[in-house]
Amino acid sequence: MDTQKRNTSTGYRYENSFEKSIEKFPTLARLSTKATFGIPGLALTKVEDGLCECMTPQGICVAGPYVLITAYCNIAKYRDELEKHATKGGNPEKLEAAKQHKQHRSVIYVVDKESLEHIATVALPDCTHGGGISYDGTFVWVAKDNERKMSAVLFSELQRVIDYGFGSVRYLTTVNVKCQASFTITYGDRMWVGNTFSRTMGTLVGFRVKNILGIPRLVRDGEIEMPVLAQGAMLADIGDKTYLAISVSGGRVNPSVVHRYEIDMSKVEKGKILKLEDCKSLGTLELPPMMEEITIDPETQAVYTQFESASSPYADVEGNPCKSIVDRVCVSSLSDWFPEVTS
């Protein structure tokens, strides 16, 4: 455990940049007042096949006593950014190091929910983008984006690696969900998969998880429309009503936008798509660029918000870094997201 902590960076990587982001985005200031913790591994991550300096965080979820964060080795993007500016006063030593940097396997960072400390790094069996992660009480699901698949890891196997502090897991099964698996959340008795597109509206696709002789099977059941470029979503109950928040990211320059709705889940039916125009809009929130997933702790109702802007390919480059960097997970409450409902 101690060796792992020495080799995977923790803490805040860009404190000054985060303070500037706070000044520019009042909503971020509100979301970060309760607690924050540095995204692990931004500067350096120990994986089984070496040390990675290019992990880019993606998904986030709560699984029992842990916060789980997926990240993938984005060395190709980092190398490309450095090469673009090599002839414009770039850093030749950094570029040469990037050329020697190998492609590492993707990981799950494990953070203790109470102490907010990084306690383990778990290697996945492949180099998946890992755009999302969710937990259904038995299986931890990893969204595999363009592969149009969801892979399941037994929580008990993940716990084994957490107890050791370092190691890898295997996928128990991988399911073709026949949609773009950009991110994933759980709500009610369904797992939801973000079917996201860059030019057209997407959907949040519901699946019921059937455990058949220890192997999960997914049965499609209902869809909710989503905006273009949706990166994450949160479904939550406040009183006797259900609310939906959808994060939309427009790259490293434009602010992220969170669309908020009151939604009638009884209208989500198999074979149909619930249109957003049929939901009650509560307006939008503006946050820094490159926002990823949002997740809610079903036990405490704490909300965790994730960004990818502090990873090396977007922050540690001379030519075109993200202008508003968030190097930490912000822990907030539902009242911060839906103040007009909870006040």
Side-chain angles (χ1 to χ4, degrees):
M1 186 77 73
D2 292 337
T3 300
Q4 169 61 24
K5 285 188 175 181
R6 284 197 301 271
N7 285 284
T8 291
S9 59
T10 57
Y12 303 127
R13 189 181 189 188
Y14 297 105
E15 289 208 56
N16 290 338
S17 296
F18 178 75
E19 291 303 321
K20 292 178 181 177
S21 297
I22 286 281
E23 294 173 4
K24 188 174 181 180
F25 296 93
T27 300
L28 178 66
R30 185 171 77 239
L31 297 182
S32 60
T33 54
K34 290 182 175 58
T36 63
F37 60 88
I39 300 170
L42 288 173
L44 191 68
T45 295
K46 180 182 177 182
V47 288
E48 286 193 318
D49 54 352
L51 297 173
C52 181
E53 299 179 53
C54 290
M55 284 294 178
T56 299
Q58 292 294 294
I60 186 169
C61 77
V62 174
Y66 310 117
V67 179
L68 308 180
I69 297 170
T70 56
Y72 73 104
C73 176
N74 201 6
I75 182 57
K77 180 67 174 178
Y78 188 44
R79 192 183 295 127
D80 181 59
E81 289 291 327
L82 294 174
E83 287 179 340
K84 283 180 183 177
H85 304 285
T87 59
K88 304 175 184 178
N91 189 324
E93 293 181 0
K94 190 182 292 185
L95 174 58
E96 183 58 32
K99 289 180 178 180
Q100 301 301 317
H101 194 290
K102 66 179 292 185
Q103 178 72 50
H104 294 282
R105 286 189 290 167
S106 302
V107 299
I108 298 174
Y109 300 117
V110 184
V111 174
D112 182 89
K113 193 171 71 175
E114 295 299 322
S115 66
L116 300 183
E117 292 184 356
H118 168 247
I119 58 173
T121 298
V122 181
L124 292 171
D126 54 17
C127 299
T128 180
H129 188 80
I133 186 169
S134 63
Y135 176 55
D136 66 12
T138 303
F139 305 103
V140 173
W141 292 91
V142 178
K144 307 188 80 171
D145 300 274
N146 292 332
E147 296 178 53
R148 301 167 70 85
K149 296 176 181 177
M150 296 290 295
S151 290
V153 176
L154 268 172
F155 181 79
S156 57
E157 183 173 356
L158 187 72
Q159 183 65 63
R160 173 184 57 79
V161 179
I162 293 171
D163 292 341
Y164 186 72
F166 178 73
S168 61
V169 293
R170 64 184 178 89
Y171 296 137
L172 179 65
T173 188
T174 295
V175 182
N176 187 342
V177 291
K178 299 180 180 179
C179 68
Q180 180 86 359
S182 300
F183 63 88
T184 177
I185 63 173
T186 51
Y187 169 79
D189 55 0
R190 279 172 277 194
M191 177 179 70
W192 300 84
V193 176
N195 185 28
T196 298
F197 300 101
S198 60
R199 291 183 174 86
T200 59
M201 300 288 279
T203 57
L204 190 60
V205 185
F207 291 90
R208 296 189 186 275
V209 182
K210 304 293 185 180
N211 191 332
I212 302 175
L213 299 177
I215 304 296
R217 297 288 184 264
L218 301 179
V219 180
R220 196 163 179 150
D221 188 7
E223 295 181 59
I224 304 169
E225 188 178 53
M226 288 196 308
V228 175
L229 290 172
Q231 297 294 307
M234 170 178 63
L235 281 163
D237 295 329
I238 302 175
D240 60 353
K241 298 183 184 298
T242 302
Y243 296 89
L244 170 66
I246 307 169
S247 63
V248 173
S249 174
R252 71 186 75 183
V253 176
N254 298 320
S256 300
V257 177
V258 178
H259 300 258
R260 303 173 306 139
Y261 299 89
E262 179 184 314
I263 181 170
D264 183 352
M265 292 300 291
S266 69
K267 294 182 179 179
V268 179
E269 302 176 41
K270 188 173 183 178
K272 297 182 179 180
I273 299 175
L274 176 62
K275 299 289 187 179
L276 291 178
E277 63 185 27
D278 295 326
C279 303
K280 180 182 177 181
S281 174
L282 298 176
T284 60
L285 302 175
E286 190 174 85
L287 285 163
M290 309 196 81
M291 182 179 174
E292 290 290 316
E293 279 201 315
I294 325 164
T295 193
I296 184 169
D297 184 339
E299 295 179 1
T300 67
Q301 298 295 288
V303 180
Y304 299 80
T305 311
Q306 169 99 316
F307 295 80
E308 64 176 339
S309 55
S311 61
S312 293
Y314 305 118
D316 189 32
V317 288
E318 288 82 6
N320 187 27
C322 183
K323 298 298 189 292
S324 298
I325 294 173
V326 180
D327 60 353
R328 60 204 69 190
V329 172
C330 299
V331 187
S332 56
S333 65
L334 282 174
S335 62
D336 296 315
W337 291 87
F338 299 97
E340 60 275 87
V341 175
T342 57
S343 59

